Amino acid sequence: DAKTTQPPSMDCAEGRAANLPCNHSTISGNEYVYWYRQIHSQGPQYIIHGLKNNETNEMASLIITEDRKSSTLILPHATLRDTAVYYCIVRAINGATNKLIFGTGTLLAVQP
Amino acid sequence: DAGVTQSPTHLIKTRGQQVTLRCSPKSGHDTVSWYQQALGQGPQFIFQYYEEEERQRGNFPDRFSGHQFPNYSSELNVNALLLGDSALYLCASSLAGLGIKYGYTFGSGTRLTVV
């Protein structure tokens, strides 16, 4: 599974868009980009995933660059409840294992 | 619809003791994975159970073992506890073959402290 690099922390004003970057320069053609988040004292929560096209759901949008070497998770209108550690994970859906390999993620602090 | 339920929520054990943690998967899910999360770190994969068998295992010693029951619930057992085993233990459930595509559902974890 490809390695990902994320900034350790970011701040965002409440009501503004939060843009969380992730670098995955060694991503393979069959690997997807997944995002999970972990709010304090809770288990990780699945947010979104994508292969090469931009994706949007009720929680967030995922923008993947054309060369697929980086991506950005966008929370369009951040609230205080979005304060959490956000993990970017790269792996193949049909890989040999189903395990998720978490890094240390990005701590997003939404400020009032 | 209940999500993943883990018990107990907190536990304090002494070095050398044994501990059993329990997990009930989300309704409709048949696969259970266990993760260990040390303070300030991301979760680390321990193992995954499907059809009552261990299907995959991470880089954890044999002191860590598990079991899955016919109702899909699971237990994580840790023998000869070390201080370094202190962590949040997370259980994640999914439907076989689809979890990695549609996302895993995690419980809130069991906080284990070894003294």
Side-chain angles (χ1 to χ4, degrees):
Chain A
D1 297 324
K3 180 178 173 59
T4 63
T5 303
Q6 299 177 253
S9 64
M10 293 183 62
D11 288 341
C12 177
E14 189 177 18
R16 303 297 294 269
N19 298 285
L20 293 92
C22 179
N23 287 322
H24 32 79
S25 59
T26 61
I27 192 170
S28 299
N30 66 337
E31 290 183 315
Y32 286 67
V33 179
Y34 292 80
W35 284 83
Y36 281 75
R37 74 179 182 183
Q38 187 171 23
I39 296 171
H40 184 61
S41 299
Q42 297 183 22
Q45 176 190 25
Y46 166 81
I47 301 173
I48 198 169
H49 76 279
L51 181 63
K52 55 183 179 180
N53 297 318
N54 298 338
E55 302 287 345
T56 296
N57 62 21
E58 65 280 3
M59 291 184 67
S61 295
L62 174 60
I63 308 298
I64 302 174
T65 58
E66 190 169 346
D67 63 8
R68 304 207 326 119
K69 293 184 177 181
S70 65
S71 60
T72 301
L73 178 74
I74 301 173
L75 307 179
H77 305 287
T79 70
L80 297 178
R81 288 176 292 183
D82 292 322
T83 293
V85 177
Y86 288 77
Y87 296 100
C88 171
I89 300 168
V90 170
R91 65 160 281 100
I93 280 186
N94 295 318
T97 70
N98 291 322
K99 65 182 180 182
L100 296 173
I101 300 176
F102 291 85
T104 52
T106 295
L107 174 58
L108 174 68
V110 180
Q111 309 291 343
Chain B
D1 180 23
V4 176
T5 304
Q6 292 189 243
S7 63
T9 56
H10 295 81
L11 199 56
I12 300 175
K13 288 287 189 179
T14 303
R15 272 184 303 175
Q17 285 188 317
Q18 179 266 342
V19 68
T20 296
L21 311 181
R22 296 176 176 81
C23 172
S24 293
K26 180 179 178 180
S27 178
H29 285 183
D30 58 7
T31 301
V32 173
S33 303
W34 287 92
Y35 288 78
Q36 180 195 66
Q37 185 173 24
L39 201 60
Q41 302 296 316
Q44 301 297 307
F45 176 78
I46 303 175
F47 43 52
Q48 183 181 80
Y49 276 83
Y50 171 64
E51 292 186 332
E52 302 180 46
E53 291 187 6
E54 182 183 296
R55 296 291 179 170
Q56 300 169 18
R57 189 179 183 92
N59 188 26
F60 280 80
D62 292 344
R63 297 186 298 109
F64 290 77
S65 63
H67 188 78
Q68 186 180 35
F69 299 93
N71 66 352
Y72 309 121
S73 67
S74 176
E75 289 181 348
L76 165 65
N77 301 294
V78 186
N79 294 323
L81 284 167
L82 304 174
L83 295 179
D85 294 331
S86 295
L88 179 68
Y89 288 85
L90 295 161
C91 173
S93 74
S94 61
L95 189 59
L98 298 179
I100 197 63
K101 183 174 183 180
Y102 295 108
Y104 293 90
T105 301
F106 283 81
S108 295
T110 294
R111 172 71 62 186
L112 172 66
T113 302
V114 182
V115 298

